[in-house]
Amino acid sequence: IEPLEALTAWVITQLKSPNAVTVGTTVPAIMTLTSATEGRQIFAASGGIKYLSRQLRQREKSKSSSGSSGSERKANSSVQQLYELAFCLWCLTYELNNFADVRADFAKDGLPVMALVELVSSAPREKVVRVALAALRNLATCSADIHPEPDMPRIDSKVFLGEMIACGLMKAIKLLRDRQFTDPDIVDDVDKLHKLLADNFKEMTRWEVYQNEVETGQLSWGSTHTEAFFKENAKMMEGKDGDFKLVKILISLLSSNDEDISAIACFDLGEFCRHYPNGRSIAK
């Protein structure tokens, strides 16, 4: 185990780097680590899921921003790295049913789901979409019953499906259903996820949809960002513990680089102040 732990410590240090070349030299070691249960467990326990997800989002954003000005060779290299990072994250999803800690790490801050949904939405290459969908399917079907953790909040497929809905996966899946894929696994994963998301969405209240959206930071205009919604639900903003958690998240989203997200956060805070007693002083 000691050599594995030493290798994992080095890998995690490299994954913290913003440099694509540094990360690229680390990927073969990560793929080796995540090929077996023991390696996956040590990697996950070291925060690997979080750092992998961050790298996926960072690489995806840099690929998108490079546009057509980058060389084809560089673009292909970027896509290959996205594929390899997503492949490693997919391997880690095979421990979801075995370890409550792994489920908790995948649920933390909604970052892994967000990274995978962004990959599916941007659809850089069929092979990237395939591993991202396979990882999402494992998240959407995982169970907390096989190895429950009595001292931890229950995290299972329902939690992850809620995050996927908040991140806009339903729209991405609908678009994918209109595409022609040569890989039957992709078609099967798309159909399975479409059914799971639709069934889960029917069971969710409008408040649960809104709560998931705010907690993942993926705000988009819709029926939950209206005066009527806040007239009905302003009191729910208190939260179970009375800590106004969602208000705090909305305030942090005001500084988002995405203009739509900051505008929606501003609107929601304004409606909260209007419809909650003394809401303005709370928001301050």
Side-chain angles (χ1 to χ4, degrees), residues 64-270:
S64 301
S65 61
S66 63
S68 58
S69 59
S71 68
E72 187 177 341
R73 184 176 178 181
K74 184 177 179 182
N76 288 337
S77 173
S78 175
V79 168
Q80 181 61 23
Q81 193 170 97
L82 281 175
Y83 169 75
E84 290 168 350
L85 291 169
F87 180 87
C88 294
L89 205 56
W90 168 59
C91 288
L92 288 160
T93 62
Y94 281 94
E95 301 305 325
L96 286 165
N97 290 339
N98 299 328
F99 303 102
D101 288 343
V102 172
R103 291 195 296 276
D105 285 344
F106 267 103
K108 195 171 185 181
D109 302 325
L111 190 61
V113 168
M114 197 183 303
L116 291 166
V117 171
E118 285 175 354
L119 275 183
V120 171
S121 300
S122 62
R125 291 286 192 283
E126 188 168 303
K127 65 179 184 178
V128 180
V129 173
R130 182 174 66 246
V131 289
L133 284 172
L136 287 166
R137 179 172 179 164
N138 285 349
L139 287 162
T141 55
C142 73
S143 171
D145 296 330
I146 302 172
H147 291 281
E149 184 59 60
D151 299 328
M152 293 177 67
R154 183 181 175 85
I155 297 172
D156 57 13
S157 58
K158 190 174 177 64
V159 171
F160 295 118
L161 283 164
E163 289 181 3
M164 292 174 202
I165 289 168
C167 291
L169 184 60
M170 290 183 78
K171 181 180 178 182
I173 290 292
K174 284 177 183 176
L175 292 172
L176 288 178
R177 294 188 90 198
D178 294 332
R179 288 179 55 180
Q180 298 296 318
F181 290 104
T182 56
D183 189 334
D185 288 342
I186 292 182
V187 177
D188 187 50
D189 286 343
V190 166
D191 289 342
K192 180 69 173 179
L193 282 167
H194 180 267
K195 185 179 188 312
L196 289 169
L197 289 165
D199 290 347
N200 194 68
F201 187 73
K202 288 175 188 174
E203 296 174 7
M204 293 175 74
T205 64
R206 283 213 306 163
W207 173 254
E208 286 173 331
V209 172
Y210 177 76
Q211 185 178 12
N212 281 335
E213 195 178 319
V214 174
E215 287 178 347
T216 57
Q218 299 298 295
L219 306 183
S220 58
W221 290 112
S223 62
T224 56
H225 305 284
T226 60
E227 179 184 359
F229 177 80
F230 278 92
K231 272 184 179 178
E232 183 182 338
N233 294 286
K235 189 166 177 57
M236 298 287 285
M237 296 290 280
E238 293 174 358
K240 291 180 181 178
D241 302 320
D243 56 358
F244 293 92
K245 178 186 173 184
L246 294 189
V247 174
K248 294 173 184 174
I249 296 174
L250 286 171
I251 291 170
S252 70
L253 291 174
L254 291 173
S255 56
S256 170
N257 293 328
D258 188 309
E259 291 183 2
D260 280 343
I261 289 176
S262 58
I264 295 168
C266 184
F267 175 85
D268 286 2
L269 285 168

